[in-house]
Amino acid sequence: MDETSKDDKTMRLDMLDRLVAMRGYPLAEEVANAMRVVPRHVFVPQAPLGEAYGLGAVITHRDAQNVPISSASASGTVAGMLEQAQVQPGHHVLEIGAGTGYNAALLAHLAGPSGSVTTIEFAPDVAEAAREHLVTYGADQVRVVTGDGTIGHPDQAAFDRILVTAGAWDVAPAWVNQLAPGGRIILPLRLRGLTRVVAFERDGDRLRSVSVAEDGFIPMKGIGAIPEKNVPLGQGPDITLRIDDNQPVASALSTALDEQPVFEWTAIESPWAWTPDQDFWLATLPGFCRVFVDAEAVTAGRVPRAKDPWGAWGVQVGGSVAYLTAQRVGGTDEMPMLQVGACGFGPQGADLARQLTDRARAWLDETAGDVDITIEARPASEASASDEAAALLIARKTDHEFVVTAARKPEAMSA
C-alpha cells in the first residue's frame, strides 16, 4: 500500500512503528496512546500526509530572512519531551510556545477532561493558526494565549507541569513561581551553545534535573531571548562560528583562514567518532563555540571537513580558531571508521587544536564514554565558587546559575 492510499490513522500507526524502530525501545504507553489518537496532519494542513507523518520536523513559519521561527517538532522530540513530563489525568499544564497546537492537543489528551492546558505563543499569526487547528481537531478547551511566555500565565497558576517548547537560555523566575508543589518544568536549556531537554523538579529553593536528553529547538522569542552570534569567516563563508553567552569575538579573527590549517590527531577511532555528552567536556574550554563548515569549501580544498556535518565543536580565541575534524581510516561506505582530530587556523591555531584533542582524550580516560549528567539550577543570588572543583561546567545566567555534574555509569567503571 503506497502512502497516497493510506488513511491518516494507518499513517499515525506507521509513524509510531518507525519511531520505535529508530529509538530501539518502545514509547511510554500513555504517550503512544495520545499519538495514536491525535491526528498530526490537522496541525500542519499545508504539508503532504507523508511529511505530516514523517519523523522529521515540519517548518510552518519563517521570518523575513527565511529563518524558521516555528515548526511542528520531530515526532521523536515530541514523544521524548512528553515522556519526561509524565503528565497525569487532572494535571494543569502550561505550555510555552504553541507552535502548531499539536503538542497542546497531546497534552490535553494526557491531562484528560479533569485537567487543563494553557499554551502561550509570542507570534500572533502563529497563535491564531494554533487556535484554528485546535478548534478543527476538537480540542477547543485548550487556552491559546498570545503573549510573552517568559512571564508565564499567573491567572491560571499554579501548574503541575510547565513545558517550554522553544530553546531557553535561562529558567524564567515566573515559571518557578507558578509551579505547583511537586510540579515539574521541562525545557530545552541552552548552556554554552549546548541544548539539553531537562526535566527539573524543586529541591528547596533550587531546581534539580530528574532527566536530561539531547535535542535541538528553535530559540525562544521575547524578553527572555538571548541570541547566539553567527560569525562568518572566509570567502564562502567557508565556516560560520555560532557563539553563545555573549562571548567576545576579536576583529583579528576575520583573517584566521588566510593561513593553511595545522592538524592534531588522536588515537581515537570509532564508526561515529562521537558519544553523547562529550560536548560538555569540550565546553569547559575558553572560547567554546559551534562551527559549521561549508561543504563546497571542503570540496574546493579551502578548509578541512568538520567531524560533524551538522555542526562541529570548536574554540575561538583572539585571532585564532580550531574545530574537531575526522579522517577515514577504514570500515565501509555504510560504516566508515573515523579517526578524531582537530584543525586550527591563526597564530594560536596549533595550541587550540591541541586543547581540543586533549579534552577529547580526557573524556574517554575519565568516563569511558558513558556518564549520567545532572543539572542543578540555583538562584543567581546564591552563585558561589565553592562548587567549581566538583562541577564539570558552571554557567552563570541572569536569573540562575547552572551547575552540571557528571557521574561515570557503574557499567562504564567496570569495563
Side-chain angles (χ1 to χ4, degrees), residues 2-216:
D2 63 35
E3 289 188 349
T4 58
S5 61
K6 292 180 181 179
D7 60 35
D8 61 272
K9 182 177 180 180
T10 300
M11 296 189 78
R12 288 200 295 279
L13 297 176
D14 287 350
M15 177 183 73
L16 291 175
D17 288 342
R18 294 196 306 275
L19 178 55
V20 170
M22 180 187 73
R23 289 170 27 135
Y25 56 93
L27 278 69
E29 188 56 33
E30 65 276 10
V31 173
N33 285 338
M35 296 180 76
R36 289 188 193 105
V37 170
V38 179
R40 191 173 187 236
H41 72 280
V42 171
F43 297 88
V44 286
Q46 79 285 3
L49 277 179
E51 184 180 0
Y53 290 106
L55 297 186
V58 180
I59 304 300
T60 57
H61 294 80
R62 297 177 182 269
D63 64 14
Q65 287 72 46
N66 204 37
V67 176
I69 59 172
S70 186
S71 70
S73 295
S75 53
T77 296
V78 171
M81 200 169 195
L82 292 176
E83 288 174 321
Q84 288 180 276
Q86 297 184 0
V87 175
Q88 303 295 318
H91 272 173
H92 298 286
V93 181
L94 174 65
E95 180 188 42
I96 310 298
T100 65
Y102 175 62
N103 203 62
L106 292 168
L107 290 168
H109 181 93
L110 292 166
S114 59
S116 69
V117 176
T118 301
T119 183
I120 305 177
E121 175 56 52
F122 184 79
D125 56 335
V126 177
E128 183 55 33
R131 190 176 293 110
E132 291 174 359
H133 299 157
L134 287 161
V135 170
T136 299
Y137 167 57
D140 49 339
Q141 77 274 22
V142 174
R143 301 180 186 90
V144 181
V145 178
T146 303
D148 192 332
T150 307
I151 62 176
H153 196 61
D155 292 348
Q156 299 294 329
F159 297 100
D160 300 291
R161 297 290 186 268
I162 298 176
L163 284 83
V164 183
T165 60
W169 189 75
D170 202 344
V171 177
W175 303 339
V176 180
N177 294 336
Q178 293 170 30
L179 189 66
R184 183 175 288 192
I185 299 173
I186 304 91
L187 80 164
L189 180 64
R190 205 172 81 223
L191 299 172
R192 302 278 172 85
L194 312 178
T195 299
R196 294 295 190 274
V197 182
V198 187
F200 281 118
E201 291 184 352
R202 286 184 188 272
D203 182 9
D205 63 347
R206 303 176 177 183
L207 298 171
R208 182 179 293 274
S209 66
V210 292
S211 65
V212 179
E214 188 170 357
D215 217 322

Side-chain angles (χ1 to χ4, degrees), residues 277 280-281 363 366-367 370-375 390-393 403-409:
D277 300 318
F280 275 122
W281 262 252
W363 153 253
E366 297 176 24
T367 72
D370 205 0
V371 296
D372 285 318
I373 294 290
T374 300
I375 302 176
L392 173 61
L393 180 68
V403 180
V404 181
T405 55
R408 189 171 177 178
K409 290 183 178 178

Side-chain angles (χ1 to χ4, degrees), residues 253-269:
L253 191 62
S254 61
T255 61
L257 302 191
D258 290 351
E259 303 294 331
Q260 290 298 308
V262 178
F263 290 90
E264 180 82 19
W265 294 102
T266 72
I268 301 171
E269 296 180 3

